[in-house]
Amino acid sequence: MVVTTPKHSGHEHPRPRSAAVVDDIIAQLCDLGYRDTEPRRLVISAVAAQSRPFTAEELCSALPCVGRATVYRGLRLLVETDQVCRILLEDHELRYQLSQPGHHHHLLCGVCGASADLEGCGAEDLLREAAAAAGFRMKGHLLEVYGECVECVED
Amino acid sequence: MVVTTPKHSGHEHPRPRSAAVVDDIIAQLCDLGYRDTEPRRLVISAVAAQSRPFTAEELCSALPCVGRATVYRGLRLLVETDQVCRILLEDHELRYQLSQPGHHHHLLCGVCGASADLEGCGAEDLLREAAAAAGFRMKGHLLEVYGECVECVED
DNA sequence: ATCCATGCAAACCCTTTGCAGTCCA
DNA sequence: TGGACTGCAAAGGGTTTGCATGGAT
């Protein structure tokens, strides 16, 4: 069971060990008017414990004591509050992952399933301009990058 | 009903009127060993008649005389042979569209549902480089651009 | 004559919903 | 205490599959 998470030193969006992540997210949810419940904490804890993008089904399996509907509702709440982001694999399988601050795109490894963030690649501006050239006003986009991560290349 | 399609003068991938499109695609499928059947032609014809990205369900409705399984199987075959491409809307709804030669990205209008191709935007190279900088080898990607098309902007 | 293709219906997967009971604020 | 949350089970939608029949090569 992977419960420990790397300790970052940044102060913009501290990512402390699992228990603290739960407290942090619960606190934010409470600020929004949601309640602090045991099942909710269990869901958040399980989400934080995942080392790879996971499916809703996997989360349900990891939480045999929590109702499947509760897991789905909790996951949806986390997505809606931007605590968790959705990831789309090449075969259109939907997976989830704890949100990183400011991330927008993912480098998804088809070998090990790992996900890395692709930041500041400038793709958005490029797209917006290209779209504008066609008279199109870009208001959003979906971008996932598939391939092999550092550790899986040349395996 | 939009049955006529613009006649291109290029010889690389001529896009003639509907009936010819069907013949063209059927011919390619036959080359691959698939059979020339009436239901198959009906599916292709219906696909070619769509003026906007469509759902499998819409195609089924447009083909009341063709079994739903046959429509799905035909659609899948067309996607696998690159005759038709899949489009993903913001709400993750899956739609389809006749493939244009060399296109890869779509400008999808959330107002009228139209789709325009975004070519030569250089996003792929940019992504590949950005990914490579992280030691990631890009082998594919998913990119959809959402917004408002020329005709719907400022409505 | 073969074997692919079709059609129907049922199965399937994944997610949401209805409802009664439970628990936080 | 009241309204939000939970759990179960059932419904939902979108797509696939099993199987017997039909049709192309």
Side-chain angles (χ1 to χ4, degrees), chain B residues 14-86:
Chain B
R15 178 75 47 202
R17 57 184 69 257
S18 200
V21 171
V22 177
D23 288 338
D24 181 41
I25 293 179
I26 282 289
Q28 294 186 51
L29 292 181
C30 285
D31 284 347
L32 294 170
Y34 297 99
R35 293 180 178 173
D36 178 357
T37 68
E38 186 56 21
R40 196 108 87 190
R41 279 181 175 270
L42 288 173
V43 170
I44 298 172
S45 178
V47 166
Q50 305 294 318
S51 56
R52 295 277 143 89
F54 56 91
T55 62
E57 210 52 40
E58 288 169 359
L59 205 58
C60 288
S61 301
L63 294 165
C65 297
V66 178
R68 142 185 254 76
T70 301
V71 171
Y72 274 91
R73 282 188 280 236
L75 205 42
R76 174 147 47 108
L77 176 60
L78 292 173
V79 170
E80 288 172 351
T81 57
D82 283 321
Q83 300 292 341
V84 163
C85 59
R86 304 205 290 184

Side-chain angles (χ1 to χ4, degrees), chain A residues 3 45 54-55 60 69 71 80 87 104 116 121 123 137:
Chain A
V3 184
S45 178
F54 56 91
T55 62
C60 287
V71 172
E80 288 171 351
I87 287 175
H104 279 103
C121 66
R137 180 186 301 170

Side-chain angles (χ1 to χ4, degrees), chain A residues 18-88:
Chain A
S18 201
V21 170
V22 177
D23 287 338
D24 181 42
I25 294 179
I26 281 289
Q28 294 186 52
L29 292 181
C30 285
D31 284 346
L32 294 170
Y34 296 100
R35 292 183 178 173
D36 177 358
T37 70
E38 187 56 20
R40 195 109 88 191
R41 280 181 175 272
L42 288 173
V43 169
I44 298 172
S45 178
V47 165
Q50 305 294 316
S51 55
R52 295 279 142 88
F54 56 91
T55 62
E57 209 52 40
E58 289 169 358
L59 204 60
C60 287
S61 301
L63 293 166
C65 298
V66 178
R68 141 183 255 75
T70 301
V71 172
Y72 273 92
R73 282 187 281 235
L75 205 42
R76 175 149 45 110
L77 176 60
L78 292 173
V79 169
E80 288 171 351
T81 56
D82 283 322
Q83 301 291 343
V84 163
C85 60
R86 305 205 291 185
I87 287 175
L88 210 49

